[in-house]
Amino acid sequence: QVQLVESGGGSVQAGGSLRLSCAVSGSSYSPNCMGWFRQAAGKQREWVSSISTDGTTRYADSVKGRFTISKDNNKNTLYLQMNNLKPEDTAMYSCAAGSSFSHCATLYYYYWGRGTQVTVSS
């Protein structure tokens, strides 16, 4: 059983930074993709960023240049460094692992965490 647990969310003012973490545990699962997603109140979940096994990273246009995805394979942990946060970044952020789509920039992932709340005030 693969488990993903996010941490690092919180409340910050616009322009601030947060770093989210996603700890992956369970068996020796090595996902082809890992990603971050967010869902604001009343809106659909959206893909934010992803990283593949070869290290290729992709970002949604709304976060490009402000967010950085990375992973530490030794610690089985995925990160999302978020800088210059904006009020429109307010959402529940979730991580996910494994996808049938090799480009990884998709909502179709196999395993999901429960999420961590990020609130950005103006």
Side-chain angles (χ1 to χ4, degrees), residues 1-6 22-31 34 75-78 95 97 111-112:
Q1 184 73 14
V2 178
Q3 293 184 325
L4 292 84
V5 179
E6 302 92 338
C22 172
V24 183
S25 62
S27 70
S28 59
Y29 181 57
S30 296
M34 293 199 71
K75 295 182 178 180
N76 291 328
T77 302
L78 179 73
C95 63
Y111 302 101
W112 291 84

Short mmCIF file of all heavy atoms in Angstrom, two decimals, residues 1-6 22-31 34 75-78 95 97 111-112:
data_model
loop_
_atom_site.label_atom_id
_atom_site.label_comp_id
_atom_site.label_asym_id
_atom_site.label_seq_id
_atom_site.Cartn_x
_atom_site.Cartn_y
_atom_site.Cartn_z
N GLN A 1 0.84 -1.18 0.00
CA GLN A 1 0.00 0.00 0.00
C GLN A 1 0.88 1.25 0.00
O GLN A 1 1.73 1.42 0.86
CB GLN A 1 -0.90 0.01 1.24
CG GLN A 1 -1.88 1.16 1.29
CD GLN A 1 -3.02 0.98 0.31
OE1 GLN A 1 -3.21 -0.10 -0.23
NE2 GLN A 1 -3.74 2.05 0.05
N VAL A 2 0.67 2.11 -0.98
CA VAL A 2 1.44 3.34 -1.09
C VAL A 2 0.70 4.46 -0.36
O VAL A 2 -0.49 4.65 -0.58
CB VAL A 2 1.64 3.72 -2.56
CG1 VAL A 2 2.41 5.03 -2.66
CG2 VAL A 2 2.40 2.61 -3.29
N GLN A 3 1.41 5.18 0.47
CA GLN A 3 0.82 6.30 1.20
C GLN A 3 1.60 7.57 0.92
O GLN A 3 2.83 7.55 0.85
CB GLN A 3 0.79 6.02 2.69
CG GLN A 3 -0.14 4.89 3.08
CD GLN A 3 -0.23 4.68 4.58
OE1 GLN A 3 0.76 4.85 5.29
NE2 GLN A 3 -1.41 4.33 5.06
N LEU A 4 0.89 8.66 0.78
CA LEU A 4 1.49 9.97 0.57
C LEU A 4 0.95 10.92 1.63
O LEU A 4 -0.26 11.00 1.83
CB LEU A 4 1.16 10.51 -0.82
CG LEU A 4 1.77 9.79 -2.03
CD1 LEU A 4 0.92 8.59 -2.43
CD2 LEU A 4 1.93 10.74 -3.19
N VAL A 5 1.85 11.62 2.29
CA VAL A 5 1.46 12.55 3.34
C VAL A 5 2.12 13.90 3.08
O VAL A 5 3.35 14.00 3.06
CB VAL A 5 1.86 12.02 4.73
CG1 VAL A 5 1.45 13.03 5.79
CG2 VAL A 5 1.21 10.68 5.00
N GLU A 6 1.27 14.91 2.89
CA GLU A 6 1.76 16.26 2.65
C GLU A 6 1.94 17.03 3.96
O GLU A 6 1.25 16.77 4.95
CB GLU A 6 0.78 17.05 1.76
CG GLU A 6 0.49 16.42 0.42
CD GLU A 6 -0.73 15.52 0.43
OE1 GLU A 6 -1.11 15.04 1.53
OE2 GLU A 6 -1.31 15.28 -0.64
N CYS A 22 6.04 16.13 0.53
CA CYS A 22 5.17 14.97 0.34
C CYS A 22 6.01 13.72 0.58
O CYS A 22 6.87 13.38 -0.23
CB CYS A 22 4.59 14.98 -1.06
SG CYS A 22 3.68 13.48 -1.52
N ALA A 23 5.75 13.08 1.71
CA ALA A 23 6.49 11.88 2.05
C ALA A 23 5.77 10.66 1.49
O ALA A 23 4.58 10.48 1.72
CB ALA A 23 6.62 11.77 3.56
N VAL A 24 6.51 9.83 0.79
CA VAL A 24 5.95 8.63 0.16
C VAL A 24 6.43 7.40 0.92
O VAL A 24 7.62 7.24 1.18
CB VAL A 24 6.37 8.52 -1.31
CG1 VAL A 24 5.71 7.30 -1.95
CG2 VAL A 24 6.02 9.79 -2.06
N SER A 25 5.52 6.54 1.30
CA SER A 25 5.88 5.33 2.01
C SER A 25 5.08 4.15 1.48
O SER A 25 4.07 4.31 0.80
CB SER A 25 5.64 5.49 3.50
OG SER A 25 4.27 5.71 3.75
N GLY A 26 5.60 2.94 1.78
CA GLY A 26 4.87 1.76 1.35
C GLY A 26 5.56 1.02 0.23
O GLY A 26 5.77 1.57 -0.84
N SER A 27 5.95 -0.17 0.48
CA SER A 27 6.63 -1.06 -0.47
C SER A 27 7.86 -0.37 -1.06
O SER A 27 8.42 0.54 -0.48
CB SER A 27 5.68 -1.52 -1.56
OG SER A 27 5.35 -0.47 -2.42
N SER A 28 8.23 -0.77 -2.22
CA SER A 28 9.39 -0.18 -2.88
C SER A 28 8.95 0.50 -4.17
O SER A 28 9.64 0.47 -5.18
CB SER A 28 10.43 -1.26 -3.16
OG SER A 28 9.85 -2.26 -3.97
N TYR A 29 7.79 1.11 -4.07
CA TYR A 29 7.19 1.72 -5.24
C TYR A 29 8.04 2.84 -5.79
O TYR A 29 8.44 3.74 -5.06
CB TYR A 29 5.80 2.25 -4.86
CG TYR A 29 5.03 2.89 -5.98
CD1 TYR A 29 4.75 2.20 -7.15
CD2 TYR A 29 4.57 4.19 -5.86
CE1 TYR A 29 4.02 2.79 -8.16
CE2 TYR A 29 3.84 4.79 -6.85
CZ TYR A 29 3.57 4.08 -8.01
OH TYR A 29 2.85 4.67 -9.01
N SER A 30 8.30 2.79 -7.08
CA SER A 30 9.05 3.85 -7.76
C SER A 30 8.17 4.41 -8.88
O SER A 30 8.20 3.89 -10.00
CB SER A 30 10.36 3.30 -8.32
OG SER A 30 11.21 2.87 -7.30
N PRO A 31 7.42 5.45 -8.60
CA PRO A 31 6.49 5.97 -9.60
C PRO A 31 7.20 6.61 -10.78
O PRO A 31 8.25 7.22 -10.62
CB PRO A 31 5.68 7.00 -8.82
CG PRO A 31 6.58 7.43 -7.73
CD PRO A 31 7.36 6.22 -7.34
N MET A 34 5.54 12.04 -10.44
CA MET A 34 5.01 12.59 -9.19
C MET A 34 4.58 14.02 -9.48
O MET A 34 5.21 14.72 -10.28
CB MET A 34 6.03 12.56 -8.07
CG MET A 34 6.39 11.17 -7.61
SD MET A 34 7.14 11.12 -5.98
CE MET A 34 5.72 11.52 -4.96
N LYS A 75 15.17 10.15 0.45
CA LYS A 75 14.19 10.37 1.51
C LYS A 75 12.77 10.03 1.05
O LYS A 75 11.82 10.16 1.83
CB LYS A 75 14.22 11.82 1.98
CG LYS A 75 15.54 12.23 2.65
CD LYS A 75 15.47 13.67 3.13
CE LYS A 75 16.77 14.06 3.84
NZ LYS A 75 16.74 15.46 4.32
N ASN A 76 12.62 9.62 -0.22
CA ASN A 76 11.28 9.34 -0.77
C ASN A 76 10.34 10.52 -0.52
O ASN A 76 9.19 10.33 -0.08
CB ASN A 76 10.70 8.07 -0.16
CG ASN A 76 11.43 6.83 -0.62
OD1 ASN A 76 11.93 6.77 -1.73
ND2 ASN A 76 11.50 5.84 0.25
N THR A 77 10.83 11.69 -0.80
CA THR A 77 10.06 12.90 -0.53
C THR A 77 10.04 13.82 -1.74
O THR A 77 11.08 14.02 -2.38
CB THR A 77 10.63 13.66 0.69
OG1 THR A 77 10.62 12.78 1.83
CG2 THR A 77 9.79 14.88 1.00
N LEU A 78 8.87 14.33 -2.01
CA LEU A 78 8.66 15.30 -3.08
C LEU A 78 8.47 16.67 -2.45
O LEU A 78 7.88 16.78 -1.37
CB LEU A 78 7.40 14.92 -3.87
CG LEU A 78 6.98 15.82 -5.01
CD1 LEU A 78 7.93 15.64 -6.20
CD2 LEU A 78 5.55 15.51 -5.42
N CYS A 95 -0.40 16.02 -3.26
CA CYS A 95 0.59 15.37 -4.10
C CYS A 95 0.04 14.03 -4.57
O CYS A 95 -0.88 13.48 -3.97
CB CYS A 95 1.91 15.19 -3.37
SG CYS A 95 1.83 14.11 -1.94
N ALA A 97 1.22 10.25 -6.99
CA ALA A 97 2.30 9.45 -7.56
C ALA A 97 1.76 8.46 -8.56
O ALA A 97 0.69 7.88 -8.37
CB ALA A 97 3.02 8.72 -6.44
N TYR A 111 -2.07 7.28 -7.02
CA TYR A 111 -2.06 7.41 -5.56
C TYR A 111 -2.05 8.89 -5.17
O TYR A 111 -1.30 9.68 -5.75
CB TYR A 111 -0.83 6.71 -4.97
CG TYR A 111 -0.76 5.25 -5.31
CD1 TYR A 111 0.09 4.78 -6.30
CD2 TYR A 111 -1.55 4.31 -4.63
CE1 TYR A 111 0.15 3.45 -6.62
CE2 TYR A 111 -1.49 2.97 -4.95
CZ TYR A 111 -0.64 2.55 -5.94
OH TYR A 111 -0.58 1.21 -6.26
N TRP A 112 -2.85 9.19 -4.14
CA TRP A 112 -3.02 10.58 -3.74
C TRP A 112 -2.86 10.76 -2.24
O TRP A 112 -3.24 9.88 -1.46
CB TRP A 112 -4.42 11.06 -4.12
CG TRP A 112 -4.62 11.20 -5.58
CD1 TRP A 112 -4.95 10.21 -6.47
CD2 TRP A 112 -4.50 12.39 -6.36
NE1 TRP A 112 -5.04 10.73 -7.74
CE2 TRP A 112 -4.77 12.06 -7.70
CE3 TRP A 112 -4.19 13.72 -6.05
CZ2 TRP A 112 -4.73 13.00 -8.73
CZ3 TRP A 112 -4.16 14.65 -7.06
CH2 TRP A 112 -4.43 14.29 -8.39
#
